[in-house]
Amino acid sequence: MIWLHVVFILSALRLWMIRPDHQPTKKKRSTPCSTCIILGSGGHTAEMEQLIQSLEEEKYQPRTYVYAATDQLSKGRIQQLEQRCFPQSMAKTTYYDIPRVREVGQSLQSVPRTFLLALVACFKVLLKCMPDTIICNGPGSCIPLCMLSYIPRFLGIKHITLVYVESCARVHSLSLTGRLLYGWVDLFFVQWPDLTKKYPKAQYHGILA
């Protein structure tokens, strides 16, 4: 049993050391950045559309989009955006649907099951695309993929950069997803300057519009 305790302690230490706060500053990339973008729904997708339009086509490719299987509307909107903004590289773009972690009105008792299903689906996505960067802005559907992105980091295979953009609707406090991911993402952006006073790691560069 002693060796189990040793493995646990070493694993916990390794996990602590690979947190963003303990990582050296990355050098500027000279090659395209394969980018995975997790779509929420409704307002989350609308804000993500604004962010995507600001990406430089030649720098952020190939692009992978992950969305809830019950949210075909977001997929359609992003496909139209791709045709409009990234005509040269959209052929390399891929789309994956995953089970939603929790549907509106879903009982809390059934969440562990749907979370596990989403986790398995996200693991398959990660194996297929293994991106350089993951960009998300909530809701909770982004948590499984962000969690799994730590596996290659933990094993020393690849450091997948995690970028989280808090919703514009969060003026005075972070969302539940934002609070859960705050200490684990490499870049954390908010859209209201007052939030940087409460959360020192957060960066403010204006509102997505």
Side-chain angles (χ1 to χ4, degrees):
M1 293 298 293
I2 295 179
W3 66 272
L4 287 176
H5 288 85
V6 172
V7 170
F8 177 80
I9 293 173
L10 291 177
S11 297
L13 181 61
R14 172 63 177 163
L15 188 60
W16 180 257
M17 292 181 66
I18 61 176
R19 283 167 55 96
D21 294 343
H22 301 148
Q23 297 297 300
T25 303
K26 284 190 172 183
K27 296 181 180 179
K28 188 174 181 180
R29 293 184 63 92
S30 58
T31 57
C33 175
S34 62
T35 305
C36 177
I37 299 169
I38 307 175
L39 303 176
S41 58
H44 290 286
T45 296
E47 289 188 17
M48 187 60 80
E49 286 182 278
Q50 297 298 323
L51 189 155
I52 294 169
Q53 291 181 65
S54 69
L55 299 179
E56 296 182 46
E57 181 172 11
E58 65 279 5
K59 289 185 178 181
Y60 295 91
Q61 61 166 303
R63 291 172 300 283
T64 298
Y65 292 97
V66 178
Y67 57 95
T70 55
D71 185 23
Q72 294 297 315
L73 179 60
S74 290
K75 179 185 178 182
R77 289 170 61 173
I78 295 302
Q79 286 178 323
Q80 293 178 6
L81 185 148
E82 279 278 324
Q83 293 174 354
R84 186 172 68 252
C85 298
F86 309 121
Q88 302 301 319
S89 60
M90 61 171 291
K92 301 178 182 179
T93 302
T94 53
Y95 300 85
Y96 296 101
D97 62 73
I98 63 172
R100 195 184 292 274
V101 173
R102 186 189 182 195
E103 295 285 357
V104 176
Q106 180 181 338
S107 65
L108 292 176
Q109 292 88 341
S110 63
V111 170
R113 176 180 173 277
T114 52
F115 182 85
L116 182 59
L117 291 173
L119 198 67
V120 172
C122 286
F123 183 70
K124 295 178 180 178
V125 172
L126 191 67
L127 287 178
K128 290 178 180 178
C129 68
M130 194 60 73
D132 297 317
T133 296
I134 294 176
I135 303 175
C136 54
N137 66 341
S141 296
C142 66
I143 293 178
L145 193 54
C146 289
M147 287 173 55
L148 291 170
S149 72
Y150 263 79
I151 294 178
R153 189 186 300 201
F154 183 90
L155 297 176
I157 298 172
K158 184 175 186 177
H159 182 117
I160 300 175
T161 301
L162 296 177
V163 180
Y164 183 84
V165 182
E166 184 59 278
S167 170
C168 181
R170 308 305 303 193
V171 180
H172 303 295
S173 62
L174 299 181
S175 61
L176 175 59
T177 304
R179 294 197 298 272
L180 290 173
L181 294 180
Y182 177 74
W184 298 96
V185 298
D186 300 279
L187 294 171
F188 193 101
F189 296 100
V190 294
Q191 299 187 59
W192 295 96
D194 286 350
L195 286 174
T196 59
K197 299 175 183 178
K198 293 183 179 180
Y199 306 95
K201 178 181 177 177
Q203 299 182 41
Y204 169 74
H205 296 285
I207 295 177
L208 291 171

